[in-house]
Amino acid sequence: MKVLRITPQRCTGCMRCEIACSYEQSGVFQPAKSVIRISPFEAHTSYAPYTCTQCDEAWCMVACPVNAITISPVGAKIILNDLCVGCKLCTIACPYGTMFYDPDTAKATKCNLCGGAPACATACPTQAIEYVEAESADWLGSFAAERAETQLAQQA
Amino acid sequence: MARTRHVIVGGGTAGMNAISTIRRYDRGASEIILVADERPYSRMVLPYYLKGSISESHVFTAPPTRLRTLDVEPFIGRRAVGVDTQINTLMLDDGTELPYDNLLIATGSSAVRAPVAGADGSGVHSFWTLEQAQGVIRGITPGCSVVLVGAGFIAFTILNSILALNAQLTVVEIAPQILPRMIDATGADVVTRWLQERGVTVRTGVQLNAIEDADGRKRLRFRQGEDVMADQVIMATGIRTNLDWLEGSDITINRGIVVDAHMRSNVPNVYAAGDVAEGRDAVTGEAALHAIEPTAMEHGRIAGANMAGQSQTYRGSLLMNIVEVLGLEIASFGAWDDADAEVMSALRPERPAYRKLLWHDDRITGAMILGPARDIWATNDVGILKGLVQSGVSLRDWKSYLRGNLFDVKRAFIAAGATGRLLPQTVLGRPSVAAESVAVQ
Amino acid sequence: MQEELPGGYAGKILRVDLSQNRTWTEAWTAEMCRTCIGGVGLGIKILWDEVPAEVSWDHEDNRLVLATGPLAGLPAWGTGGLTVVTRGALTNGATNTQANGFFGANLKYSGYDAIVLQGRAPEWVYLYIHDDTVELRDASALLGKDTWETQETLEQMLDLTGHQLSVYTSGLAGENQVRFAAIHGDYGHVASKNGCGAVMGNKRLKAVAIVRGSKALRAADPRGLWMAAQEIAEDLQYDPSTRSLYEYGTLPGVSGLSRLGALPIKNYTTNVVPEGVDMSQWTAQGLREGFDHRGHQCNSCGMHHCHAQVLPSGPHQGAIVDEPEYEGWSGAGWAFGCTDPVATSWLNTQVDRACVDVNEFGWLMGWVVECQEKGYVTKEQLGGLTITWGDAEAANALLQMIIRREGFGDVLAEGVKRASETVGGPAAECAIYAMTGNTPRGHDHRARWEEMLDTCTGSGGTLDSGPPVLPTEMGQPARINPFDPDAVARMVGGTRGRRQFEDSLGTCIFTTRTLLSILCRTLSAATGWDFTKDEALLFGRRTAALMRAFNIRCGITPDLERPSKRYGSVPVDGPAQGQDIGAHWEHLLDVWYDMVGYDRQTGKPLPATLEDLGLSHILADLWDAREATHAGT
Ligand SMILES: Cc1cc2nc3c(=O)[nH]c(=O)nc-3n(C[C@H](O)[C@H](O)[C@H](O)COP(=O)(O)OP(=O)(O)OC[C@H]3O[C@@H](n4cnc5c(N)ncnc54)[C@H](O)[C@@H]3O)c2cc1C
Ligand code: SF4
Ligand code: SF4
Ligand code: SF4
């Protein structure tokens, strides 16, 4: 299956993916609604995007009491909005923190791979996000560990 | 050769998950019989039905066509009244005897009312079943006053709904704090203040003595303090497992049915799942009765897989709860009240926000998080805390970092490599499939 | 009920009265959106309407406008824009100065297009903004902190990381009202001109902290906006005139300008690169590859321009600093003879953290070193400090004295013009500044006459128009002889207005280095207007004229429109050796005044010009009736 491959070394923290994602998901420019989120890993630098890996277990999907989450033709776990009751069980079931809740609609929201044309990957000016055939992986772990070293040293 | 016959008692979360898991493996090779005294529905969406944000039809999880697709023979409206494990036969209330090869007991729990005078009178409700929910819906009219007796998790799941119906709400609790089995006293204080500021009356540490009729209304008398008048009373004073019907059987029952890592009881072809099963707690490693939806779901899937002939070992359930009251989100995970754990906490009363992490060495074994649902920058953190507890990842240097930065869990989670530990994890040892994609061939 | 506003706008202007601890919002009208756009267009309208002549920069009634524009927060490149407009401390006239980062995006997602501050807080405060929550909060925990520390402390206090929080502060320089204090935000973005940070300090406002808000921005044609954004991106990426800017930002400046004699070396005392300096490490590539980089881009920007970098060697090895802009390489380096990229890079971030304008800092350091070398300023005066050409550590020591106003630092804190006047004698003759108080950008303008003319006539604290971008689109030649006074003045006058338009959009000056027509398409897709190039230039010229009118009202008259002695001197060596702008100065002004339609005697925009620009409503304020009929005849 095609997944979002993240190359954190390329990310500049410009947040364009968040703008694109919110637009694709809600039709307006509102990063608060983005389901991809950028954080820094070394003081105020070394940014990387973070979103749903479309994990195998799909903790969110199996937890949903009304089967409002299903798998789309491109393999994304997606929310069927009219079925979702907004109980938030999926938000605590997903151990990655990539299931969101939108207080305005009272529904859960998550990455749906934009139906196979991910807006974030298109918007990213540095190809830090690419939509490619690959196994989902921990794209950020070693980058974060390396970059965060200085952060931790400062704290100590 | 005769088809294996699975009999499932209970069409709730555990029962339905077991059925679709069996079908996922055997594609229809076996016979499945479902015995349930109600049409299958999800209890935990009843609050949304009460609120009016979904209709009644939305609560049902397995309409007849779905059962047909799964090739399930339904005995809906029938109660199981006994089982003879010697002759592998289940007895129903109408005298039907159902022989089985494998039996799953998933009969869930029921609400119990505190034993006070008048608790069974008119205008006094429980909120556990669809029928009870309908009673409450009929009872509440705009402007009426409602007293919730018991401030536990279930009471809190319907709090928003009652207020959305424009009722005046008073919550009374015998314990010194609200949500005593979900959050600690500091967290409870924050929630109490939040509710009070939004017009909800909260009284804790009070014991209800009696509910009396008073001119068509209800008068609640307490051992301490003033009486409270109400139009409707909802008793959310506890639940008990639906296991009475097993009395006299040779199935071992402690607080619930004692099961092994395959969700099997002491009788090898009798399984138990959900609220009735005392399965392994993933954090403590001990047997526990959770009475939560995710545990029922996982129990059902593990039991189903093993009934279908797999050998699927369960690593245990993670205790977790989330509830939102008037925009304040409250969640806890794992062993959040472990007295032996090392504790870190941070309180920000002005936001308000509260967090607590419980540690054994450099691993997080329990967590609590509380804050406004609109606090979008914290929303990742709810799941991340679950991931930290679930993965048991060793946080090494991040532990001391977190001490001063409890609101920055995401960096720690990612840098400690929690994602890499979690990605290979699945409950059934294979990728999950969407519920509706499971069908007989 | 509020009328429907054009797309792109958040819809409200946030007003803050620091004296009264009061905040309120004001709605835009659709008409105001179109005539003011945002940024400097909005800011100068507020100054003109609300800051009379007697309200000087340090008067509590002075306004500090922190404005974004209609494109901020939208997906065009570089849309975090902040434009600061105020009556500034160096000229005591208008200020128009920009920074990028995430200010504009975060502010607009909270629902505001601009913040207008007035009054003076009784105690130090910071302004906290998160959606509808706007509060002046106690800043005692932030006092004494530099810009980075202020942001770090607020992140800690508010439990936010990265771009969840945008913080703009004037550092310690602002606290002590250093006359060239800047406003800095988001680790390396500085609105630096005209002492806008001193105004902030004078108001006892330590910082503005904006949480990335949760509100929606709309565009009239969102798909069209994405397409226009793509058009800009491709133009920047593939057009030969912007390709290197796209790749390297302003890094090519040092080596490029040194070849033209426009790199300011050692306080304008030479234009020849000193012997032994390895210029290969000063090429764009050399500077980029000499450091380990970290992405640190502004909102929605795809330029390879802003970076953080790790110092590879020297006493501060391993420190994360902001990659200097050209202005930093020059001001924190060449201007006072520092030719070591690592030392310059470090010092540049110290300047940002201290929060002063790096150009003014460069002129000041160059002046001090030269004066000490020549004995005009003694070691004792400097509190025992010796500073020689290129000594970054000593420069930092002085910087720290300046922002604390310690010893001679107190004199230097007044900027190079006033410091040199205070010391007097021959020292007064070596300082680089424009007589209005405007700070020249970090070039040697003796080899860039356009910019010297622009700087001396500018109304916003430095130059008004900047180097021409795609001038043929404005009917100007693509290239001119840089030492032909006529051509120079025509170019500066003829391109006037474009910059003011850019400075009103909420974007960055680098990501607007594309055709005006493309910018207009982008603005139109956002707002739903049919905005043309002509309207853009008319708008820009109107804005520039209003700034000038404001300055005239502040008493900044044309007799001040000339360079200081050193600034206007003749290069003694290098490629521009012997070029003497002073000999042509009056002519430059004559032609320029004629081009822009201002009165050569009084400096005022002529009545006919005001009419043409749609500014007839200020005619009566600017001209008395008798004068008006004579003017320009
Ligand atoms: C209002 C409410 C809100 C809740 N909210 C949450 C929440 O937010 N999060 C959470 O984790 N949990 C929540 N829960 C708890 C959750 O619903 C239960 O833990 C879950 O339903 C347990 O599933 P189960 O399959 O074990 O039992 P149930 O879902 O209770 O199903 C039991 C089934 O057995 C049938 N049955 C019982 N006895 C017999 C018999 N003798 N013969 C035949 N059939 C029988 C019943 O009719 C029913 O169909 C909530 C519960 C309620 C009532
Ligand atoms: S939201 Fe979480 S649980 Fe659901 S598929 Fe994505 S990573 Fe898995
Ligand atoms: S693929 Fe689409 S939904 Fe997923 S993060 Fe990217 S833009 Fe958002
Ligand atoms: S768009 Fe690309 S470079 Fe920008 S923040 Fe997102 S991932 Fe990073």
Side-chain angles (χ1 to χ4, degrees):
Chain A
M1 146 185 184
K2 283 176 102 174
V3 302
L4 294 173
R5 179 173 69 202
I6 313 289
T7 311
Q9 289 79 1
R10 294 183 186 158
C11 173
T12 64
C14 75
M15 317 295 266
R16 200 161 192 254
C17 50
E18 287 195 1
I19 301 176
C21 180
S22 70
Y23 174 67
E24 200 61 35
Q25 300 288 329
S26 60
V28 288
F29 304 103
Q30 190 177 17
K33 302 255 156 130
S34 170
V35 293
I36 188 164
R37 298 270 167 100
I38 300 294
S39 351
F41 288 93
E42 183 184 21
H44 61 277
T45 67
S46 295
Y47 289 85
Y50 185 69
T51 188
C52 164
T53 57
Q54 313 297 347
C55 71
D56 277 352
E57 172 60 15
W59 303 91
C60 57
M61 178 178 79
V62 294
C64 178
V66 289
N67 296 325
I69 302 177
T70 187
I71 302 183
S72 76
V74 297
K77 280 68 181 184
I78 60 165
I79 292 158
L80 304 170
N81 255 316
D82 55 349
L83 263 181
C84 173
V85 298
C87 71
K88 297 190 169 178
L89 199 60
C90 54
T91 67
I92 55 167
C94 169
Y96 306 93
T98 49
M99 175 60 85
F100 297 87
Y101 173 79
D102 181 345
D104 295 327
T105 58
K107 308 268 180 198
T109 85
K110 74 177 290 295
C111 171
N112 54 15
L113 291 174
C114 302
C120 55
T122 310
C124 175
T126 64
Q127 288 78 49
I129 310 169
E130 295 163 295
Y131 188 52
V132 293
E133 200 64 50
E135 285 286 311
S136 266
D138 178 8
W139 310 110
L140 308 189
S142 52
F143 168 82
E146 177 210 315
R147 293 295 165 91
E149 248 171 45
T150 42
Q151 177 101 8
L152 289 178
Q154 266 170 24
Q155 291 282 320
Chain B
M1 203 181 91
R3 291 161 85 201
T4 305
R5 181 190 265 207
H6 304 291
V7 173
I8 316 290
V9 192
T13 308
M16 286 313 302
N17 269 284
I19 291 173
S20 55
T21 307
I22 295 172
R23 282 297 180 242
R24 185 178 170 202
Y25 285 101
D26 77 9
R27 296 274 161 192
S30 64
E31 209 180 318
I32 298 181
I33 290 172
L34 169 64
V35 179
D37 64 354
E38 306 167 278
R39 275 181 74 182
Y41 64 85
S42 169
R43 298 207 193 288
M44 68 164 283
V45 305
L46 293 177
Y48 304 91
Y49 171 44
L50 169 62
K51 189 183 192 174
S53 62
I54 60 172
S55 60
E56 185 186 352
S57 60
H58 205 133
V59 308
F60 297 109
T61 49
T65 43
R66 175 82 190 131
L67 294 178
R68 263 198 302 282
T69 324
L70 292 169
D71 189 16
V72 172
E73 189 183 342
F75 284 75
I76 307 288
R78 294 272 69 81
R79 298 182 53 77
V81 292
V83 60
D84 187 337
T85 58
Q86 303 301 315
I87 55 165
N88 295 332
T89 300
L90 181 78
M91 272 79 75
L92 305 191
D93 54 355
D94 61 353
T96 309
E97 298 199 344
L98 289 172
Y100 60 82
D101 295 310
N102 287 318
L103 177 68
L104 175 68
I105 300 167
T107 45
S109 16
S110 307
V112 285
R113 297 187 189 178
V116 297
D120 49 2
S122 68
V124 183
H125 309 266
S126 293
F127 194 94
W128 190 261
T129 65
L130 177 57
E131 207 183 315
Q132 290 162 351
Q134 282 160 338
V136 174
I137 290 170
R138 278 192 300 272
I140 296 182
T141 49
C144 79
S145 58
V146 175
V147 176
L148 253 175
V149 181
F153 174 66
I154 298 298
F156 270 63
T157 64
I158 58 171
L159 200 142
N160 280 346
S161 312
I162 296 170
L163 292 167
L165 298 172
N166 289 318
Q168 285 293 317
L169 183 62
T170 302
V171 182
V172 299
E173 166 63 48
I174 187 167
Q177 67 161 82
I178 56 167
L179 290 171
R181 281 167 304 281
M182 183 173 163
I183 54 173
D184 68 7
T186 309
D189 273 352
V190 174
V191 180
T192 303
R193 211 165 315 119
W194 179 273
L195 289 175
Q196 286 169 340
E197 283 164 11
R198 285 157 184 77
V200 177
T201 308
V202 180
R203 283 176 67 184
T204 52
V206 289
Q207 188 178 345
L208 181 64
N209 266 350
I211 305 173
E212 296 167 358
D213 286 315
D215 303 328
R217 301 188 74 202
K218 294 280 162 184
R219 177 191 302 280
L220 285 78
R221 292 193 180 280
F222 298 88
R223 176 169 296 173
Q224 44 295 91
E226 283 174 24
D227 296 355
V228 175
M229 296 299 294
D231 297 305
Q232 303 289 328
V233 180
I234 302 172
M235 302 277 279
T237 47
I239 56 170
R240 92 182 134 65
T241 49
N242 294 326
L243 292 173
D244 307 351
W245 62 281
L246 289 177
E247 221 162 279
S249 78
D250 42 16
I251 297 167
T252 308
I253 297 174
N254 181 28
R255 289 173 61 221
I257 298 173
V258 177
V259 291
D260 66 11
H262 291 81
M263 303 312 294
R264 212 178 244 133
S265 74
N266 60 312
V267 181
N269 64 340
V270 176
Y271 295 78
D275 285 8
V276 294
E278 204 177 303
R280 182 186 145 95
D281 180 289
V283 172
T284 64
E286 271 147 38
L289 208 58
H290 277 175
I292 57 167
E293 179 83 13
T295 296
M297 176 273 293
E298 288 184 4
H299 278 179
R301 288 164 71 212
I302 293 281
N306 287 308
M307 290 164 79
Q310 305 289 311
S311 176
Q312 206 51 248
T313 309
Y314 186 41
R315 64 191 292 272
S317 338
L318 185 65
L319 191 62
M320 52 173 147
N321 275 310
I322 185 163
V323 65
E324 185 209 305
V325 285
L326 299 175
L328 186 71
E329 203 164 72
I330 311 155
S332 60
F333 302 97
W336 63 268
D337 63 346
D338 177 359
D340 298 331
E342 187 186 338
V343 173
M344 288 177 191
S345 65
L347 176 66
R348 302 281 187 274
E350 72 285 357
R351 286 167 57 180
Y354 178 55
R355 289 180 179 202
K356 185 170 181 178
L357 296 182
L358 291 94
W359 300 77
H360 280 271
D361 301 323
D362 65 352
R363 288 161 217 273
I364 296 174
T365 47
M368 200 151 75
I369 174 168
L370 204 150
R374 289 218 164 256
D375 194 351
I376 51 165
W377 304 120
T379 48
N380 267 143
D381 295 3
V382 174
I384 278 174
L385 287 181
K386 189 246 186 176
L388 287 169
V389 178
Q390 177 179 326
S391 66
V393 69
S394 158
L395 282 154
R396 298 181 301 272
D397 301 347
W398 287 98
K399 183 174 177 184
S400 53
Y401 176 79
L402 284 171
R403 197 182 301 281
N405 301 274
L406 258 187
F407 289 84
D408 189 16
V409 294
K410 185 175 168 190
R411 270 198 268 215
F413 173 92
I414 294 175
T419 308
R421 281 178 69 97
L422 288 165
L423 276 175
Q425 283 189 16
T426 54
V427 171
L428 296 178
R430 56 171 64 192
S432 302
V433 294
E436 77 278 5
S437 69
V438 177
V440 300
Q441 272 164 351
Chain C
M1 218 197 77
Q2 202 185 327
E3 63 177 313
E4 180 95 23
L5 285 184
Y9 287 89
K12 282 178 292 185
I13 296 169
L14 178 61
R15 290 277 186 163
V16 179
D17 185 339
L18 292 135
S19 303
Q20 308 291 326
N21 186 14
R22 194 166 86 84
T23 67
W24 68 103
T25 60
E26 243 171 43
W28 290 79
T29 61
E31 191 209 334
M32 197 179 156
C33 292
R34 188 134 184 181
T35 51
C36 298
I37 299 185
V40 63
L42 172 68
I44 191 59
K45 176 186 159 46
I46 290 169
L47 282 200
W48 177 263
D49 291 348
E50 302 178 21
V51 180
E54 64 279 10
V55 172
S56 66
W57 75 270
D58 54 356
H59 191 291
E60 64 174 300
D61 287 344
N62 189 11
R63 300 292 193 259
L64 178 62
V65 183
L66 309 176
T68 80
L71 295 183
L74 299 182
W77 279 9
T79 49
L82 161 66
T83 290
V84 181
V85 180
T86 187
R87 190 163 179 183
L90 283 171
T91 68
N92 201 19
T95 309
N96 171 27
T97 181
Q98 274 69 35
N100 216 325
F102 286 81
F103 177 92
N106 284 18
L107 185 68
K108 281 178 71 182
Y109 299 141
S110 267
Y112 313 99
D113 294 291
I115 310 170
V116 182
L117 297 133
Q118 64 191 70
R120 182 181 303 126
E123 303 290 339
W124 284 94
V125 290
Y126 75 92
L127 176 64
Y128 173 86
I129 301 173
H130 183 193
D131 290 341
D132 300 331
T133 307
V134 178
E135 289 166 6
L136 289 167
R137 296 184 174 177
D138 174 22
S140 38
L142 305 174
L143 290 185
K145 297 215 182 310
D146 73 22
T147 58
W148 288 28
E149 289 163 351
T150 301
Q151 185 147 3
E152 282 158 4
T153 308
L154 281 164
E155 284 166 1
Q156 282 280 325
M157 284 164 61
L158 302 169
D159 302 309
L160 294 168
T161 60
H163 302 314
Q164 291 167 5
L165 184 70
S166 195
V167 174
Y168 285 71
T169 160
S170 54
L172 207 47
E175 268 180 52
N176 291 318
Q177 296 179 44
V178 170
R179 233 178 235 270
F180 56 108
I183 296 177
H184 165 288
D186 294 346
Y187 303 101
H189 304 283
V190 196
S192 67
K193 289 295 174 292
N194 209 7
C196 57
V199 177
M200 190 164 169
N202 186 270
K203 298 200 166 305
R204 292 204 190 95
L205 177 67
K206 176 67 191 184
V208 177
I210 313 166
V211 181
R212 195 165 175 80
S214 70
K215 305 207 169 169
L217 296 176
R218 283 155 221 284
D221 174 2
R223 192 46 71 186
L225 179 72
W226 280 107
M227 291 160 81
Q230 187 61 21
E231 208 182 336
I232 297 179
E234 283 170 11
D235 194 42
L236 293 170
Q237 224 165 319
Y238 302 119
D239 189 276
S241 71
T242 45
R243 164 114 221 144
S244 90
L245 184 71
Y246 164 78
E247 282 294 348
Y248 294 112
T250 56
L251 295 185
V254 174
S255 63
L257 293 170
S258 74
R259 283 194 293 275
L260 302 172
L263 179 68
I265 307 176
K266 295 188 178 173
N267 203 36
Y268 278 26
T269 57
T270 177
N271 291 89
V272 179
V273 172
E275 198 104 1
V277 177
D278 173 10
M279 282 308 274
S280 72
Q281 53 173 354
W282 281 101
T283 61
Q285 246 173 334
L287 290 173
R288 200 33 75 70
E289 282 156 19
F291 298 87
D292 179 12
H293 282 89
R294 305 280 188 265
H296 189 222
Q297 225 64 298
C298 298
N299 189 59
S300 184
C301 186
M303 304 276 280
H304 297 206
H305 171 223
C306 294
H307 291 262
Q309 59 189 17
V310 185
L311 295 180
S313 57
H316 310 287
Q317 185 178 359
I320 292 183
V321 299
D322 192 48
E323 179 187 77
E325 291 277 352
Y326 165 75
E327 306 287 354
W329 296 119
S330 112
W334 291 84
F336 78 101
C338 183
T339 56
D340 170 4
V342 176
T344 304
S345 175
W346 172 75
L347 181 60
N348 175 68
T349 284
Q350 304 318 302
V351 170
D352 281 2
R353 297 182 68 140
C355 211
V356 296
D357 175 24
V358 75
N359 294 137
E360 184 77 15
F361 176 76
W363 309 137
L364 196 59
M365 285 306 109
W367 174 76
V368 174
V369 177
E370 185 180 337
C371 287
Q372 200 176 37
E373 190 180 62
K374 294 185 171 159
Y376 307 154
V377 170
T378 63
K379 187 171 169 181
E380 290 64 53
Q381 269 174 302
L382 292 188
L385 193 86
T386 305
I387 177 163
T388 54
W389 293 117
D391 184 347
E393 298 292 334
N396 181 53
L398 269 182
L399 173 63
Q400 300 309 319
M401 286 164 62
I402 291 169
I403 60 173
R404 291 174 178 78
R405 286 189 174 269
E406 282 166 8
F408 196 64
D410 192 35
V411 175
L412 296 177
E414 292 295 295
V416 75
K417 175 173 186 282
R418 290 175 176 82
S420 63
E421 286 164 357
T422 303
V423 172
E429 305 197 340
C430 358
I432 296 168
Y433 57 89
M435 297 309 287
T436 51
N438 282 352
T439 302
R441 298 256 172 186
H443 317 103
D444 192 327
H445 287 165
R446 297 171 308 170
R448 266 204 165 189
W449 289 8
E450 289 160 58
E451 296 204 7
M452 191 177 294
L453 175 62
D454 197 5
T455 304
C456 290
T457 54
S459 336
T462 183
L463 41 68
D464 269 357
S465 299
V469 178
L470 306 168
T472 50
E473 201 192 14
M474 290 172 280
Q476 300 302 318
R479 254 199 176 70
I480 55 165
N481 171 356
F483 302 113
D484 171 350
D486 226 57
V488 163
R490 288 184 175 285
M491 182 65 102
V492 178
T495 54
R496 191 167 174 81
R498 185 186 153 113
R499 177 61 76 81
Q500 286 73 17
F501 174 61
E502 293 170 8
D503 288 348
S504 301
L505 297 176
T507 54
C508 158
I509 59 159
F510 297 116
T511 54
T512 48
R513 289 217 177 167
T514 183
L515 290 169
L516 265 180
S517 53
I518 301 183
L519 292 179
C520 290
R521 272 203 285 284
T522 312
L523 181 61
S524 298
T527 55
W529 301 329
D530 189 13
F531 215 84
T532 61
K533 193 176 80 179
D534 291 343
E535 186 174 354
L537 286 173
L538 183 73
F539 163 84
R541 288 173 185 154
R542 179 168 63 238
T543 302
L546 195 54
M547 272 175 66
R548 172 160 277 257
F550 178 80
N551 276 8
I552 301 273
R553 194 167 76 185
C554 293
I556 301 172
T557 44
D559 54 306
L560 294 172
E561 288 174 348
R562 56 200 163 82
S564 68
K565 186 155 191 219
R566 173 62 59 82
Y567 186 32
S569 62
V570 183
V572 295
D573 55 14
Q577 184 174 11
Q579 299 289 359
D580 181 6
I581 191 173
H584 306 283
W585 193 253
E586 289 304 317
H587 182 63
L588 282 162
L589 286 177
D590 288 345
V591 176
W592 182 82
Y593 266 92
D594 190 44
M595 286 289 292
V596 299
Y598 300 168
D599 178 42
R600 183 71 180 86
Q601 301 312 310
T602 61
K604 299 172 186 177
L606 290 165
T609 306
L610 293 174
E611 203 91 34
D612 288 348
L613 295 175
L615 285 174
S616 4
H617 58 281
I618 70 162
L619 202 148
D621 297 305
L622 211 55
W623 296 93
D624 66 45
R626 195 168 42 83
E627 236 184 354
T629 47
H630 288 282
T633 53

